[in-house]
Amino acid sequence: MTKSRTHYLNVNHTVGSWLFTVDHKRIGLMYLGTILFFFLLGGIAAVLFRVELMTPGSTLMESETYNRLFTMHGITMIFFFLVPSIPAVLGNFLLPIMLGAKDLAFPKLNLASWYVFTIGGLLGLGSIIFGGVDTGWTFYTPYSSTYANSQVILAALGIFIAGFASIMTGLNFIVTIHKMRAPGLTWFRLPLFVWAHYATSIIIILGTPVIAITILLVAIERIFQVGIFDPALGGDPVLFQHLFWFYSHPAVYIMILPGMGVISEIIACFSRKRIFGYKVVAMSSLAIAILGFFVWGHHMFVSSQSMYAGMVFSILSFLVAIPSAIKVFNWTATLYGGSIKLDTPMLYALGFIGLFTIGGLTGLFLATMAINIHVHDTYFVVAHFHYVMVGGMVMAFFGGLHFWWPKMTGRHFSEMLGRITAVVIFIGFNLTFFPQFIVGYLGMPRRYHIYPEEFQIFHVLSTAGAAVLAVGYLLMAAYLFHSLILGKRSSRNPWKAIGLEWTIPSPPPTENFIDTPVVDYEAYDYSLERAYEDDEEDHS
Amino acid sequence: MSHDASHPAHLAHHFDSPEQQNQSSSLGMWLFLAQEVMFFGGLFVAYAVYRFKYADAFAVASGHLSLFWGAVNTVVLICSSLTMALAVRCGQLGDKRGIIRYVVATMILASVFLGIKGLEYAHKYEDQLVPGPQFEYVPDFDSYSVPVTAETADPNFAGHVQLFYSFYFVMTGLHALHMVIGLGLMVWLIVKAAKNHFSSEYYTPVEMTGLYWHFVDIVWIFLFPLVYLVWRH
Ligand SMILES: [Cu+2]
C-alpha cells in the first residue's frame, strides 16, 4: 500500500476532534458506539432472566430483581438501542452521501443530538445503577406514578431527554431530504433507504413529543406529588395508556421502517435488479407512517375501552398489513429472476423477509379482538414483538452494518465468518422465540418468572436459543473488531452496487464529494455499466 | 464550492447558496413548531378529557383565577408579538438599531408577562391551591356561588379541583419555560446585531426567533380561554 489518502477517519486523531466534530459520518460512528453499549447492557439483562426462566421456581433471583431486569431490558433495548439504531448510525452516515450533499442541513444540531442522547442514556444508566425500575418499559399508571418504589423518575427523565435527540435527528433528515438533494436527484430517483428515513422522521416529529409530555407528566406527578393520572383524585390511568400508545405504537414503525429501507438496498444489490414497483414501495413507507397513528387502541382491547372503539382500532390495524405486505411481495418479486448472490448482507436481508413476515402475520392474530383476549399479555405477544423487532429490525441493522462496513471503515470483514454468523444468529433467534409463540398460546403470561412445570420445556428451548444468539453476536463483535485492524482494504465499490455512496472512496473524505455529483439515472439501475466496472484504481 | 467573493461569511460551507440555507432554516423551524404543537397537543387532550369529565369542578376552580390579570397578560403578549414582528421588519430593511430596539421592547413585555404570572402563582400558593400534599380546598357553597350539583356534591370534588390546578400549573409553567427560552434567544439576537452580523441579505435568526415567539403567543391564545374562561358559559 502506498501512502494513505486523507479521509474522515484519519484527518485528525485527537479526542477533541471527535467530541467536537460536526461531520455526520463521525457522529454516526459515535452513535454506533453508544447504542452498542446499550445493546450489550440490554442483552446482559436478557441473559440473566433467561437463565432464571430455565426453572419453574424462583432459583437465581426474587421477583423484585426479575421485574427490574425485564424492565431494564425493555427500556434500554427500545429507547436507547432500537429507536436510534438505524437512523442515528446508518442514516446519519449515509443520508447526506446518498443525497449528494456535504453534510446534513444542521451539522451542529446533529452533534447536539448525540450529546442529548448520551445525557438521556446516562440518566437511564443511573436509574439502573441506583436500583433499577420495576414498572416494565410501558410505565403504566398509577403503579409508575404513585406506587412503584424504584427509580422511575430517573428513567422517565432519561427517556424524555433521549426523545429530543430523536426529534433533532428526524428534523435534520426531513430538511436535508427536502433541500439538499444533488442536481438531477428527483424524489423518485431517491434510494428507498432515503424514503424510509423520510417516513420515519415524520413519525418521530409527530409522535415523540407526545411520549415526551406523557412521561414528563408521570415524572411531575411523582416529584411534586400532584395527581394527574391518580385515581384517588379522579385521575384516569387509562388516559396514560392512550397517550403512551399514541407514540409507542408508531414507535414500532420508527423502529422497523429504517430497517425496511436497508433491506431494499441490499435486495436490489444482491439480486442485481431494480426494486420491483419502486414507487409503490416508496409510498408504502408513507402509508405505514400515516396509518400507524390510528391503531394505538389495539393495545387496549382489555383496558375498559369501548367495544366499538375496539372494532375500529382492530380494522385500522388490519389495514397496516397492506403496505407491509406490499413491501414483502415486492422484495420477493425483485428476487424473482435476479442473479442472486448470498453474501453476508443478503443472508440478513433474506432472514429479515422471513422473520418479519411471521412477526407481521402474528400481529394480525393480535389485532383480532377475540384472539387478543386469549393471548393478551402472554408470551405470544412477546414472541410477535421480538419477531418484528429482533427478527426484523436487528437483522436489518446488522445486514446494513455489514453492507456498509467497507464504506464506513475502509476494511473488509471475513466473508466466511460473516456468513456462518448470520446463519448462527438466524438459528439462535428462531430457537429463542418460536417456542414462545406456543407457550404463550398455551397460557404462559409475560413478566412472570414462576410458572407451571409443563411450560418448562419451552423456556429451556428459549434459553438455549438465547445462548446460541449470544454466541452469534459475540462472534460478530470479534470478526468485525478484527477487520478494523487486519481486514483487507476495500475499494470504493466492493459489492458493485449502484448508489452515490459507492461512487466515493472508502472511507469517504470529510467533505464526501469534491464536486457536487449530477444524477442522471434512476435508483438501482443495475443495467448501468458502472455497476460492473472494476474500480480498484482509486486508492490515491 | 470555493470560498470566493460570491460566498458570503454567513453561508455555511455545506450549503450551495444563501437561498438554500435560508429555506433550510425556515423548514427546520416549521418542523420544530410542528413538534411543539404535538407536545402541547398531548397536554391539551389530557386537559380536555378531564374538563369533559369534571366540567363543574373545572368551572369552579377556574373561577378562582384572576380574569383581570389573565386578560392583561393576553394583551401584553399580543403586543410583544407586534414588537417582534417589527424587529423582523427592521431585519428586512437592514436596520440594525431597529432590530435591537424592538427586540428589547419584546423582552420588556415578556418580562412584564412573567412578572404578572409570578404574582398569580404566589397568590395561588397563599391560597393553598398549589397541587400536592399541602393542597387544601373546601368548597364554599355560599360565597363562591358554587352550584350544588351531583358533581359538586361528590366527596372527591376537591380532588377534581386539584386536577384542574395540576393542569393549570403544568400548562402555564411549560408556556412560561418556553418564554424564558425565547428571552435567551433574544439576548443572542442582540449580541449578534451589536456585532453587525445582520444585513438585509441575512437576518434569518431574527426571522426564526420571530416565528418561535409567535408560536409561544399562539399557545397562550389557546391557554387563556382554556384555563381562565371555562367557567363563563
Ligand atoms: Cu401496536
Side-chain angles (χ1 to χ4, degrees), chain A residues 245 248-250 252-253 295-296 298-299:
Chain A
W245 289 114
S248 294
H249 184 82
V252 175
Y253 303 127
V295 302
W296 78 88
H298 63 217
H299 295 269

Side-chain angles (χ1 to χ4, degrees), chain A residues 104-105 179 227-228 232 234 236, chain B residues 14 20 38 50 54 156 160 163:
Chain A
L104 287 170
K179 298 293 172 194
I228 289 169
D236 187 354
Chain B
H14 60 293
Q20 188 191 29
M38 295 306 288
Y50 289 136
Y54 309 120
N156 207 4
H160 306 160
L163 271 181

Side-chain angles (χ1 to χ4, degrees), chain A residues 104-107 167 171 174-175 178-180 205-206 209-210 213 217 225-228 232-236 239 246, chain B residues 14-15 20 23-24 27-28 31-32 35 38-39 43 46 49-50 53-54 131-133 156 159-160 162-163 166 170 174:
Chain A
L104 287 170
F106 309 114
I167 293 174
L171 188 154
I174 294 185
V175 175
H178 269 277
K179 298 293 172 194
M180 316 237 341
I205 297 265
L206 297 180
V210 178
I213 186 66
L217 287 177
Q225 294 176 284
V226 303
I228 289 169
L233 296 178
D236 187 354
L239 176 63
F246 180 83
Chain B
H14 60 293
F15 288 113
Q20 188 191 29
Q23 286 177 9
S24 300
L27 179 61
L31 288 168
F32 172 75
Q35 176 279 132
M38 295 306 288
F39 185 81
L43 258 185
V49 166
Y50 289 136
K53 249 181 153 170
Y54 309 120
N156 207 4
H160 306 160
Q162 193 181 156
L163 271 181
S166 298
V170 172
L174 283 172

Side-chain angles (χ1 to χ4, degrees), chain A residues 341-407:
Chain A
K341 271 190 76 191
L342 293 177
D343 286 332
T344 311
M346 186 61 159
L347 293 178
Y348 283 101
L350 294 176
F352 175 101
I353 295 180
L355 300 179
F356 171 75
T357 303
I358 296 176
L361 287 175
T362 48
L364 295 180
F365 292 37
L366 289 163
T368 311
M369 289 167 81
I371 300 179
N372 185 287
I373 289 170
H374 176 59
V375 291
H376 201 95
D377 263 347
T378 66
Y379 267 68
F380 191 88
V381 180
V382 177
H384 154 71
F385 187 71
H386 284 82
Y387 263 78
V388 178
M389 291 292 106
V390 186
M393 186 63 163
V394 178
M395 284 294 210
F397 175 65
F398 286 130
L401 195 64
H402 283 87
F403 188 46
W404 285 292
W405 187 261
K407 181 55 63 185

